[in-house]
């Protein structure tokens, strides 16, 4: 954790004196991230917590825990600003800190997933980022810190690999990425992406941090939990203990390559797409251009099948002019253009 203070790209690109959002669920990872950023002097954080309404009173207790956590940090910071306050190693770094904000949202994730025909996990992710984007709009802040770490990156890589993802999916996560959500260009920063879960556990123990334990993390029904508790340990036992590091390295290489490919494709300022220009691209770039365009049109949960359906509209022999997309939306071809409806 100490090396992150001086070597993290996030801490270099996002100076402590600016305003930032931070997603805090109440679990150990996000609690550790909040504490670590405060220790570095990030004074204007706005803690964002979305109640997913999935675990009844436990979900409500999570929200109350995060609210009290913010209050406790604000009390500590206020005390450290008083004349004559004691200045230890951590308090000296806190001495000029400001007040931490708090934003609480709520969403019925099960109802949303059923309505949008999504898994609970996908619906929860979509709801969180919609909440983050709305908070970013109201607070006039376009960057959010989240606590994804190296083990999360490995698990996401494997999930996408098993689902048949291309290179964009194998990139899994990036240390810094920008996504357009409901008209807001929200930048997500992941300072812990090179930190392993064991290192976060050590940090939490060293600083005596309290956090909320989510019992559903042990439920083997969600794919991510099966990969975490069964698949990765099996791979380590069978292929060697360095398998996590090797997968992590592959994902980071893929992310760098994806960043370069994205930079080679211009953002389309239009809501429709030229069939002629799409046909002129190699197939690999057609898929990438469509992925970028669909995301810009706020089409959620875009996968290979959806991209191929839209790509088929540009086929010279195509007999159809309309295809289905996730979220009960459609892509249509008319007069040499492809557009969303």
């Amino acid at each position: 954790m100490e090396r992150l203070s001086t070597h993290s790209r996030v801490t270099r690109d996002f100076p402590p004196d600016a305003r930032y959002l931070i997603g805090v669920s109440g679990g150990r990872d996000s609690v550790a991230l909040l504490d670590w950023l405060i220790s570095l002097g990030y004074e204007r954080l706005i803690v964002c917590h979305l109640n997913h309404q999935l675990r009844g009173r436990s979900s409500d207790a999570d929200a109350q825990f995060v609210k009290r956590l913010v209050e406790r940090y604000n009390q500590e910071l206020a005390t450290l600003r008083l004349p004559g306050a004691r200045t230890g190693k951590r308090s000296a770094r806190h001495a000029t800190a400001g007040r931490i904000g708090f934003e609480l949202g709520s969403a019925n994730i099960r109802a949303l997933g059923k309505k949008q025909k999504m898994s609970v996990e996908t619906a929860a992710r979509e709801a969180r980022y919609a909440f983050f984007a709305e908070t970013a709009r109201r607070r006039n802040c376009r960057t959010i810190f989240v606590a994804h770490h190296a083990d999360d990156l490995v698990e996401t890589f494997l999930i996408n690999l098993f689902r048949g993802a291309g290179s964009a999916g194998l990139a899994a996560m990036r240390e810094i990425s920008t996504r357009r959500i409901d008209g807001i260009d929200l930048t997500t920063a992941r300072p812990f992406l090179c930190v392993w879960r064991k290192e976060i556990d050590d940090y939490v123990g060293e600083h005596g941090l309290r956090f909320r334990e989510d019992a559903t993390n042990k439920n083997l029904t969600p794919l991510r939990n099966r990969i975490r508790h069964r698949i990765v340990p099996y791979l380590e036992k069978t292929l060697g203990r360095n398998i996590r590091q090797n997968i992590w390295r592959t994902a980071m290489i893929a992310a760098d390559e994806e960043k370069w490919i994205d930079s080679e494709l211009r953002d389309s300022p239009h809501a429709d797409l030229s069939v002629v220009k799409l046909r002129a691209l190699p197939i690999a770039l057609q898929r990438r251009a469509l992925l970028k365009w669909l995301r810009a049109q706020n089409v959620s949960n875009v996968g290979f099948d959806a991209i191929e359906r839209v790509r088929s509209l540009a086929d010279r022999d195509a007999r159809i002019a309309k295809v289905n997309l996730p979220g009960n939306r459609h892509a249509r071809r008319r007069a040499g253009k492809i557009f969303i409806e």
Side-chain angles (χ1 to χ4, degrees), residues 141 165 180 317:
C141 176
R180 191 167 185 81
D317 300 323

Side-chain angles (χ1 to χ4, degrees), residues 156-172:
T156 302
F157 178 95
L158 291 174
I159 289 171
N160 292 343
L161 176 66
F162 297 153
R163 287 175 174 170
S167 56
L170 297 184

Side-chain angles (χ1 to χ4, degrees), residues 84-103:
R86 296 170 60 185
T87 57
K89 181 180 178 181
R90 285 174 59 84
S91 62
R93 289 184 290 181
H94 291 176
T96 61
R99 183 170 181 82
I100 300 170
F102 179 61
E103 290 282 347

Side-chain angles (χ1 to χ4, degrees), residues 1-2 5 16 35-43 76-77 80 86-98 203 206-207:
M1 302 291 282
E2 288 294 333
S5 303
D35 185 82
W36 180 73
L37 287 172
I38 291 174
S39 76
L40 294 181
Y42 283 79
E43 318 177 345
E76 177 184 347
L77 296 175
L80 291 170
R86 296 170 60 185
T87 57
K89 181 180 178 181
R90 285 174 59 84
S91 62
R93 289 184 290 181
H94 291 176
T96 61
Y203 181 88
E206 179 185 348
H207 295 283

Side-chain angles (χ1 to χ4, degrees), residues 143-158:
T143 299
I144 183 163
F145 289 109
V146 296
H148 294 135
H149 50 71
D151 290 275
D152 290 326
L153 180 66
V154 169
E155 293 159 9
T156 302
F157 178 95
L158 291 174

Side-chain angles (χ1 to χ4, degrees), residues 174-203:
R174 302 181 191 181
E175 191 175 14
I176 301 171
S177 61
T178 300
R179 175 184 173 192
R180 191 167 185 81
I181 307 169
D182 298 331
I184 295 293
D185 290 324
L186 183 66
T187 296
T188 301
R190 300 177 175 91
F192 283 0
L193 210 56
C194 63
V195 178
W196 297 95
R197 184 177 288 116
K198 174 62 167 61
E199 295 174 299
I200 293 175
D201 288 344
D202 291 343
Y203 181 88

Side-chain angles (χ1 to χ4, degrees), residues 24-35:
V24 179
S25 66
R28 80 175 64 211
D29 302 335
S30 59
V31 166
L33 177 62
L34 176 61
D35 185 82

